[in-house]
Amino acid sequence: MEFTTLVLRFRLKDKHAKWLSEQAREVDFVWNYCAEFFLKVREREKRFLSAYDFNPYTKGAGKAGLHLHSRTTQEIGDEYPTRRMQASKAR
């Protein structure tokens, strides 16, 4: 089975570059939080969390200072366990 990757390149105006960089940093922050949280639960309880288990732990992220939409944080939390299972790794 062969997969092809399509790469799209966009020219971003300078006025949007700063905002997109900030959004990317916040997404990375949430991803790293997921990684750390899942690792701690894995060490403590010897189980993997599902996306459903993780959603309550990201509630209120906007009030804590992140400028991401709540659905974005939930999608990141949904995506993390999927990627861990595909990689078959706890970390």
Side-chain angles (χ1 to χ4, degrees), residues 11-62:
R11 182 181 178 276
L12 299 174
K13 305 253 179 177
D14 291 337
K15 66 179 182 179
H16 301 298
K18 182 179 177 186
W19 180 77
L20 287 173
S21 293
E22 289 173 3
Q23 293 292 311
R25 272 189 234 105
E26 290 183 359
V27 168
D28 289 342
F29 179 79
V30 174
W31 183 269
N32 290 335
Y33 173 76
C34 290
E36 183 180 337
F37 185 75
F38 277 95
L39 186 62
K40 286 184 181 182
V41 170
R42 177 76 176 136
E43 289 173 352
R44 186 180 311 143
E45 300 177 14
K46 306 291 186 219
R47 69 180 179 103
F48 285 104
L49 288 178
S50 68
Y52 178 77
D53 294 333
F54 184 71
N55 283 339
Y57 296 103
T58 58
K59 193 185 313 183

Side-chain angles (χ1 to χ4, degrees), residues 2 7 41 65:
E2 185 177 323
V7 177
V41 170

Side-chain angles (χ1 to χ4, degrees), residues 66-84:
L66 287 179
H67 299 101
L68 295 175
H69 192 271
S70 60
R71 188 65 197 144
T72 304
T73 58
Q74 288 178 355
E75 285 293 327
I76 295 168
D78 292 349
E79 192 69 20
Y80 188 81
T82 304
R83 297 298 155 221
R84 288 299 99 208

